Every structure is written in C-alpha cells, then in structure tokens.
C-alpha cells in the first residue's frame, strides 16, 4: 500500500486521468444525464417554456463566468499561484498518489469553506445567489454561475499551494470537485445507501442545499464529502419536500438579469444604508444583516 | 457552533491531511534511499555494464575491480565538484555538454563549461548556472535545474540519483515534459 501511494507518477499520466474525469465527463455523463432529465420532464409534463429559458440562461451565465475566469487566469491568477508556490510554500510535495489524494481532500475542504463564505457574507451571496435563483433543479443549474464565482475560490486554493502542492495539481483537483458537484444537481436520483449518504455528498443532500424551505437555508455546503458539514455543524437531511429557489424570487429568465441581479440587489442595499462603515459592513456581514 | 470550535476543527483537519502528505513524502524519501542502496535499477545496470566494457578495453583490468555497484560506493559530497559530461541526442541538440560543478559556500552549483559536437569539436560555453543542488545525501538528492524551452528559461525541480562515484542521473518531469540525463565525471 505504502509502495503504491509513494510511487512516483508522470505528469503526462496524471493530466490524462484528470482529462478523462474532468473534461470528458461533460460528454459521457453530464450531457447524457441532462437529456435523460429532459425526457423525464416531458414524461411528467413539466417540460415547458420556463424550463427551457431557465436552462438557456444557465448556459449564458456559464459562458460569462468562463470568460471572466479566462481573463483572470491570463491576467494574474496563474502567475500568482506559481509565485506563491516558489516563494511562500512549504517544501514541494512529490507527485504520487498520496499527494493527489490529499490534494483532492484539501480542495474539497477548501470548496466547503469557499461555499460557506459565499453564503454567509454579503458580497459572496451577491454572486452566489445567481446559482440558487433557479426554481428548477437539474444538471444545467450546476452551470449557473455569478460574476464573482471565479474570484472567491482563489482565496481558498492559494493556501493549498502554500502547503506545498503543485498549483496545476490544485487547479485540477478543484475542477474535479466541481465536476463531482455538478453530478449532484438532479431530481432523478433519490436517497442512496446509508454509508454513502453518511460519507459522501449526494443528490439528496444537495437538493436540501438548494431548498428555500427555512430549515434548509445555509446547509450542506459540501463538494464531495458531506462529513465536512457533519463535523462543522451545517448538515441537514432531506425530510420535507424541497422548494427550489431563493427567499426573494427573481421571476425572470433574462440572462443578463439572472447574471447580475445579486450584484444589483447588494448595490441597492448599500445605497440605502447610512454611513460608509455600514456600507462596507454590508459586504462582509451575512446577507440578511441590517444595522442595529 | 462556536467560532473557536470551527477554527480549531478546521486547523486540525488541514494539519492532519497536509501533515500526513508531508510526513509520507519524508518517509518515502528515506525509503527510496534505502531501496536505492539495496537494488540497482535497470539504468544503473546498463551504465555499470558500459563502464565494465570500457574498462576492459582501455585498461585491461578486471571489471569487478573498477565498476563497483552503487551500494558499495562510498559517497563523498566533495566528489561532486569538477567537470561532468552529459550526452544529448534530441531534435534541439546533438552532442555533449560539459558542466563544471563548484562548491560555493557549501552549496554545489553546476555551470555550463563546454559544448562538444558529435565530431568531437569543442566550443567554450558561457558559464550559465544550470543546476543548484539542494541536497545530495547518500545516493539520492534534489536540485533546481534550469531548462530552456522556446527561448524561455524554467527553473524546475530535479531528482538526483547516484549510480557510482563517477556517475549520477538527473531526472525531471515538468508537466509531462521530462527527461533523465546521465552525468559522467571527466
């Protein structure tokens, strides 16, 4: 076992494995699953104009998010990651299975905290509310991103680079977590077996996360492992039927409105607050915060 | 849950996971050293065989005397200093480069010394720093190797492995672009 975990791996192989899991998953699992969901919607007579427009809006937000991510990457992020790796990092870890497994675990844990932060601070919710604003729940919702969704993860993945992990490996692990998360956006799969539901994040757990029912707010932030929620007090099982969406519904499928409504709402909130300090506090305090 | 509880649980998890990886890396590095001493790799065998043949032809001595296996070689860091030749046979460069390793304030650094084409013509090199040996304990070591690709220089991590007193291998893997060079002492 130790021999297997410590065996030196070639980068070309590692990149190829992640290419199969990360990049190709869209072709061999996500798109086929989405088609299956559409068939199910049609069978249940729920395939309507709103669902189609909602899915198109999701695709639009993904294109906008991806463009921002590419621009950020080209401008600075990649360089910052490598600079941190060279100058502010613990001794660099060798490329072996132990490094890959622990890197995915840390990327998953970083995802938990990134996700939790986006729910619990005003600026985070301004961008992440986009993802939650759909009243549907299918694979296309996984691609519904806000304008700053590419920025927040940087803050949480840089510490992993500082721990000695290669920046490229960290990025690949982050995408791996994101791909796993994508697969959870479905109503087709009910509850899985108890051991799986106890350890892993499942569609059931993630439906709870998307619920606008009061008891489901700010629960189940996990990416791959639900144990992070269990350990840090944010776990909630799926009991009551989930109502998807946000407490203040958007009622629009206009892609621009979908993409920017959170920022607009935060701007209007800040504009309405008195004093510079309160305006700044609105950025870092919870989304429902009001000055006393 | 209290913020302090959240903080300490988070810290404990990060230390446990990342600490585990570092501890594992440290232990497997030691293990690698032991394994290297116990068994010769295919490459080592090839190099030793080459040397045996060379010695038989040139010196007419018994091969067992000159080409001792890696585990039998007493490794002295000071044997690193001096000139080392590396053969290249790539699209970019065919021939050999002679490097000079110097001990600078306790740190061993390799500089380009001479280029030699396959016909044996030599040309003096610019004396560029190409390798900084961070550590070379026993039979394995690590260093920072500078490679040039499409006009840009990249500093990458390299692994060093002692084959015998006069030979070590340097290997690197930079996101799939990698090689193993054999450095032979002149």
């Amino acid at each position: 076992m130790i021999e297997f975990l410590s065996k030196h791996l070639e980068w070309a192989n590692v990149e190829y494995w992640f290419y199969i899991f990360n990049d190709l998953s869209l072709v061999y699992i996500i798109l086929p699953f989405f088609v299956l969901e559409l068939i199910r919607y049609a069978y249940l007579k729920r395939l309507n104009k709103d669902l189609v427009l909602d899915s198109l809006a999701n695709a639009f937000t993904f294109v906008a998010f991806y463009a921002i991510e590419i621009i950020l990457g080209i401008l600075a992020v990649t360089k910052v990651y490598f600079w941190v790796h060279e100058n502010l990092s613990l001794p660099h870890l060798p490329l072996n299975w132990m490094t890959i497994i622990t890197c995915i675990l840390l990327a998953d844990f970083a995802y938990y905290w990134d996700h939790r932060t986006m729910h619990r601070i005003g600026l985070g919710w301004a961008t992440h509310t986009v993802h939650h604003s759909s009243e549907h729940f299918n694979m296309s919702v996984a691609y519904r991103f806000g304008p700053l969704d590419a920025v927040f993860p940087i803050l949480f993945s840089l510490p992993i680079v500082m721990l000695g992990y290669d920046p490229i490996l960290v990025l690949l692990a982050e995408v791996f977590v994101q791909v796993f998360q994508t697969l959870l956006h479905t109503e087709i799969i009910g509850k899985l077996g108890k051991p799986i539901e106890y350890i892993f994040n499942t569609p059931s757990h993630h439906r709870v996360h998307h619920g606008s029912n009061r008891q489901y707010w700010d629960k189940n932030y996990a990416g791959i492992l639900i144990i992070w929620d269990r350990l840090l007090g944010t776990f909630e099982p799926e009991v009551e039927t989930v109502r998807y969406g946000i407490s203040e519904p958007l009622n629009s499928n206009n892609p621009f409105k979908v993409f920017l409504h959170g920022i607009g709402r935060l701007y209007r909130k800040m504009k309405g607050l008195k004093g510079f300090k309160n305006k700044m506090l609105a950025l870092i305090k919870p989304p429902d915060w009001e000055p006393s | 849950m209290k913020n302090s509880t959240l903080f300490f649980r988070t810290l404990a998890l990060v230390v446990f996971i990342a600490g585990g990886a570092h501890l594992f890396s440290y232990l497997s590095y030691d293990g690698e050293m032991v394994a290297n001493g116990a068994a010769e790799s295919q490459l080592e065998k090839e190099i030793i065989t080459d040397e045996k043949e060379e010695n038989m032809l040139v010196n007419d001595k018994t091969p067992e005397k000159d080409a001792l296996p890696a585990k039998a070689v007493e490794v002295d860091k000071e044997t690193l200093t001096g000139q080392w030749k590396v053969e290249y046979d790539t699209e970019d460069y065919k021939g050999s480069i002679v490097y000079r390793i110097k001990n600078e304030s306790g740190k061993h650094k390799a500089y380009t010394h001479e280029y030699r084409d396959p016909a044996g013509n030599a040309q003096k090199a610019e004396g560029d720093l190409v390798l900084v040996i961070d550590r070379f304990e026993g039979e394995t070591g690590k260093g920072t190797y500078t490679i040039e690709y499409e006009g840009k220089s990249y500093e990458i991590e390299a692994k060093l492995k002692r084959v015998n007193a006069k030979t070590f291998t340097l290997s690197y893997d930079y996101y799939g672009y990698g090689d193993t060079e054999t450095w032979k002492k002149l």
Side-chain angles (χ1 to χ4, degrees), chain A residues 2 5-6 9-12 15 82 91-94 98 102 106 109 113 116 163 165-166 168 231-233, chain B residues 1 5-6 9-11 13-14 17-18 20-22 24-25 28 32 142 155 157 159 172-177:
Chain A
I2 289 173
L5 290 172
S6 63
L9 302 170
E10 299 294 330
W11 259 109
E15 285 180 341
F82 278 96
H92 298 172
L93 287 162
M98 184 68 175
T102 54
L106 286 171
F109 194 45
W113 272 110
R116 186 166 174 163
L163 289 169
Y165 290 85
D166 188 279
I168 298 292
L231 283 167
L232 301 176
Chain B
M1 192 176 284
T5 311
L6 272 178
R9 283 192 185 181
T10 299
L11 191 65
L13 284 165
V14 171
I17 299 168
H22 276 279
F24 196 84
S25 161
S28 60
E32 197 177 290
K142 275 186 179 178
E155 286 188 355
E157 281 178 19
K159 277 188 170 183
Y172 57 87
D173 179 12
Y174 191 65
Y175 306 119
Y177 178 78

Side-chain angles (χ1 to χ4, degrees), chain A residues 120-144:
Chain A
R120 297 306 297 154
I121 71 169
L123 186 63
W125 184 244
T127 179
H128 193 56
T129 184
V130 175
H131 182 65
H132 284 267
S133 60
S134 173
E135 291 177 3
H136 304 280
F137 193 68
N138 53 55
M139 293 267 167
S140 77
V141 176
Y143 292 92
R144 190 176 173 110

Side-chain angles (χ1 to χ4, degrees), chain B residues 72-169:
Chain B
V73 175
E74 187 66 35
V75 177
D76 178 1
K77 250 189 162 184
E78 282 315 305
T79 61
L80 282 172
T81 55
Q83 291 184 16
W84 297 79
K85 191 171 88 167
V86 183
E87 299 280 352
Y88 295 95
D89 186 10
T90 64
E91 282 181 13
D92 300 330
Y93 187 76
K94 278 187 174 47
S96 60
I97 299 178
V98 177
Y99 299 101
R100 179 182 286 279
I101 296 184
K102 297 178 186 173
N103 183 349
E104 293 178 354
S105 310
K107 201 141 206 180
H108 287 82
K109 295 178 180 177
Y111 297 87
T112 54
H113 178 69
E114 196 174 84
Y115 299 108
R116 292 180 185 174
D117 67 19
N121 303 311
Q123 188 189 336
K124 197 157 174 56
E126 298 82 6
D128 296 327
L129 176 65
V130 291
L131 174 68
V132 177
I133 299 172
D134 300 320
R135 62 180 187 192
F136 205 153
E137 296 147 355
E139 291 169 3
T140 57
K142 275 186 179 178
T144 307
Y145 193 44
T146 306
I147 57 166
E148 283 206 5
Y149 181 71
E150 292 184 348
K152 276 187 175 179
S153 284
Y154 297 88
E155 286 188 355
I156 58 177
E157 281 178 19
K159 277 188 170 183
L160 310 175
K161 203 168 174 183
R162 176 77 75 168
V163 178
N164 58 36
K166 291 190 170 186
T167 312
F168 70 84
T169 59

Side-chain angles (χ1 to χ4, degrees), chain A residues 152-172:
Chain A
F152 274 83
I154 300 166
L155 307 174
F156 294 87
S157 54
L158 272 178
I160 307 177
V161 176
M162 292 167 80
L163 289 169
Y165 290 85
D166 188 279
I168 298 292
L169 183 64
V170 173
L171 290 172
L172 292 171

Side-chain angles (χ1 to χ4, degrees), chain A residues 58-109:
Chain A
N58 297 342
F60 172 86
T61 63
F62 178 71
V63 171
F65 157 83
Y66 195 66
I68 292 169
E69 193 152 66
I70 295 287
I71 293 165
L72 278 174
I74 292 169
L75 283 181
V77 177
T78 321
K79 283 175 187 164
V80 170
Y81 272 58
F82 278 96
W83 187 87
V84 169
H85 187 55
E86 289 305 322
N87 298 289
L88 296 174
S89 158
L90 291 177
H92 298 172
L93 287 162
L95 189 63
N96 56 35
W97 279 113
M98 184 68 175
T99 302
I100 292 174
I101 291 166
T102 54
C103 187
I104 291 172
L105 282 174
L106 286 171
D108 192 41
F109 194 45

